[in-house]
């Protein structure tokens, strides 16, 4: 007879131990993620808010050269050559039918006299010119910004001026020349005007010509400036001008105001999540404390139950069984010896 101890340990953890390990892994993962998040400098502003008063605006203008073009404005802005100069521009009128039903839209009849085939501005274009300047000056700035298009490029206007004539455009660029512009008597009350030549990212060295009735006082004036600006204006026509490189064309926009495009460099002052982060950390700490307490209580209950189920071990019997392990015995002989010991009073 063999008395080998064949009991093997359970090859898996019970459900309670599995939940404990899962909780510890989740807690460790959260700690690792929190460490990685806190190591990023851009997340520190919630703990130490930056001082916004120390933020400075970008410089309004810098030294720089204007693009290689020269424009001389005659006393009469509508003095122009009677001969066509822009033979590359199609003369067929293509009406943009999308401009309907809004206070910012220009009626097509206002633009019937506009012609891109002649140099400068013609006398019969003066009514539309001043009428649109007066019209945009009366419109609300927020309304203009809401309806202005930002998807029309310089090259689109050069190749298809009739398609985009009268469109309200939003531009951001660099002013190269800012000068006062003479006006003539008109029935719309426009008495002051300025011309602003700007370049944009999509135009390169090819300029835009802007005529505006108002100019921000912070902008410099002169033949050679370099100032970031922004504006909203109507595309009026292709303006032909003479430059050092010959005859060129620039889209002419009529605007109510040209403003400096000031980029405010402000350090982040917080995201407003500080109370939530602190609350989450407190809840996480409280939950961790509850888990540790529950685990300790569970261990105590487990030890108590095991002590009731399994009595203290008989070390003498265990020693005998270990000596008998791996040997063969006759049960009858063992019973006889046990009977003799029982009957023997000694």
């Amino acid at each position: 007879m063999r008395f080998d101890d064949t009991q093997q340990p359970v090859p898996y953890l019970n459900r309670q131990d599995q939940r404990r390990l899962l909780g510890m892994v989740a807690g460790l993962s959260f700690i690792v993620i929190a460490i990685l998040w806190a190591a990023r400098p851009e997340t520190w502003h919630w703990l130490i808010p930056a001082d916004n008063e120390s933020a400075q605006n970008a410089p309004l203008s810098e030294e720089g050269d204007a693009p290689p073009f020269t424009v001389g404005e005659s006393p009469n802005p509508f003095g122009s050559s009677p001969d066509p100069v822009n033979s590359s521009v199609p003369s067929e009128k293509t009406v943009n039918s999308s401009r309907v039903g809004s206070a910012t839209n220009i009626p097509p009849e206002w633009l019937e006299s506009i012609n891109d085939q002649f140099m400068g501005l013609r006398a019969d274009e003066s009514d539309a010119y001043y009428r649109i300047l007066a019209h945009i000056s009366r419109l609300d700035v927020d309304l203009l910004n809401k309806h202005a298009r930002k998807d029309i490029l310089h090259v689109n206007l050069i190749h298809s001026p009739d398609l985009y004539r009268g469109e309200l455009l939003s531009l951001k660029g660099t002013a190269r020349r800012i000068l006062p512009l003479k006006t003539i008597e008109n029935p719309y009350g426009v008495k002051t005007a300025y011309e602003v030549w700007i370049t944009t990212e999509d135009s390169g060295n090819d300029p835009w010509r802007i005529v505006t009735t108002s100019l921000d006082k912070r902008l410099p004036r002169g033949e050679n400036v370099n100032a970031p600006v922004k504006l909203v204006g109507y595309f009026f026509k292709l303006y032909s001008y003479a430059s050092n490189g010959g005859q060129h064309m620039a889209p002419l926009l009529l605007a109510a105001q040209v403003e400096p495009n000031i980029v405010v460099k402000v350090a982040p002052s917080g995201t407003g999540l500080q109370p939530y982060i602190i609350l989450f950390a407190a809840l996480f700490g409280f939950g961790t404390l509850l888990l540790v307490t529950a685990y300790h209580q569970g261990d105590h209950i487990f030890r108590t139950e095991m002590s009731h189920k399994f009595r203290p071990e008989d070390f003498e019997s265990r020693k005998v069984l270990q000596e008998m392990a791996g040997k063969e015995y006759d049960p009858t002989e063992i019973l006889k010896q046990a009977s003799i010991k029982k009957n023997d009073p000694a």
Side-chain angles (χ1 to χ4, degrees):
M1 178 180 293
R2 289 181 175 274
F3 292 89
D4 294 336
D5 187 9
T6 59
Q7 185 177 3
Q8 299 293 332
V10 180
Y12 57 87
L13 298 175
N14 57 39
R15 186 62 58 85
Q16 187 176 9
D17 290 337
Q18 291 178 2
R19 286 197 295 266
R20 291 180 180 179
L21 288 177
L22 182 61
M24 288 188 290
V25 170
L28 181 61
S29 301
F30 173 80
I31 293 174
V32 171
I33 294 174
I35 292 174
L36 295 176
W37 182 80
R40 296 159 51 192
E42 58 268 23
T43 63
W44 298 346
H45 55 77
W46 72 270
L47 183 62
I48 306 176
D51 184 8
N52 287 344
E53 296 180 357
S54 63
Q56 297 180 353
N57 292 337
L60 188 60
S61 63
E62 300 175 356
E63 293 298 328
D65 295 330
F69 62 85
T70 57
V71 178
E73 189 67 41
S74 61
N76 181 0
F78 296 95
S80 62
S81 171
D83 300 324
V85 293
N86 299 333
S87 58
S88 61
V89 178
S91 58
E92 297 181 0
K93 297 290 183 179
T94 304
V95 179
N96 187 351
S97 59
S98 63
R99 300 191 302 272
V100 292
S102 174
T104 60
N105 294 335
I106 297 296
E109 56 269 20
W110 291 12
L111 306 170
E112 290 178 351
S113 62
I114 309 303
N115 195 322
D116 300 297
Q117 302 294 318
F118 296 90
M119 184 174 180
L121 296 171
R122 298 182 300 115
D124 59 350
E125 296 172 341
S126 63
D127 184 78
Y129 175 87
Y130 286 112
R131 191 174 191 176
I132 294 175
L133 282 175
H135 173 72
I136 194 172
S137 299
R138 292 192 295 265
L139 294 178
D140 181 71
V141 175
D142 293 334
L143 181 66
L144 291 173
N145 290 326
K146 178 180 179 180
H147 292 278
R149 296 183 60 176
K150 301 179 177 64
D151 59 334
I152 300 178
L153 305 179
H154 186 278
V155 66
N156 300 138
L157 303 181
I158 294 296
H159 289 290
S160 304
D162 288 323
L163 181 62
Y164 299 104
R165 198 181 316 280
E167 285 284 0
L168 187 63
L169 310 182
S170 175
L171 292 183
K172 291 182 180 179
T174 303
R176 304 299 185 178
R177 175 177 288 116
I178 303 177
L179 295 173
L181 186 64
K182 294 182 179 180
T183 60
I184 62 174
E185 186 176 352
N186 60 87
Y188 303 103
V190 178
K191 297 181 179 180
T192 59
Y194 302 88
E195 67 167 355
V196 182
W197 292 82
I198 73 171
T199 55
T200 57
E201 291 184 359
D202 64 283
S203 71
N205 288 330
D206 296 325
W208 304 65
R209 188 187 189 220
I210 313 299
V211 175
T212 178
T213 57
S214 177
L215 198 64
D216 194 286
K217 295 181 180 180
R218 293 171 291 178
L219 289 174
R221 273 75 162 172
E223 291 278 351
N224 189 0
V225 300
N226 191 337
V229 295
K230 61 181 179 179
L231 61 105
V232 174
Y234 289 104
F235 171 57
F236 188 66
K237 66 173 296 183
L238 292 181
Y239 182 82
S240 300
Y241 64 94
S243 70
N244 295 335
Q247 198 75 19
H248 289 278
M249 292 182 295
L252 171 60
L253 270 64
L254 305 182
Q257 187 176 30
V258 176
E259 300 175 319
N261 185 24
I262 299 177
V263 179
V264 180
K265 298 180 180 179
V266 179
S269 58
T271 59
L273 298 178
Q274 297 93 321
Y276 301 100
I277 294 175
I278 295 174
L279 177 61
F280 179 77
L283 292 177
F284 181 78
F286 182 71
T288 303
L289 181 61
L290 288 180
L291 286 176
V292 172
T293 304
Y295 290 160
H296 180 75
Q297 185 68 18
D299 291 339
H300 177 71
I301 295 174
F302 178 78
R303 287 194 298 268
T304 303
E305 292 178 352
M306 292 299 102
S307 64
H308 289 300
K309 287 183 179 180
F310 302 98
R311 297 299 179 183
E313 187 176 12
D314 187 349
F315 293 100
E316 188 67 25
S317 300
R318 183 176 181 83
K319 183 178 179 181
V320 173
L321 291 175
Q322 288 177 350
E323 293 177 354
M324 296 173 62
K327 300 179 181 180
E328 294 183 359
Y329 294 92
D330 184 2
T332 305
E333 185 66 26
I334 295 175
L335 292 175
K336 287 181 180 181
Q337 293 179 3
S339 177
I340 293 172
K341 289 182 179 181
K342 182 177 180 180
N343 296 328
D344 189 1

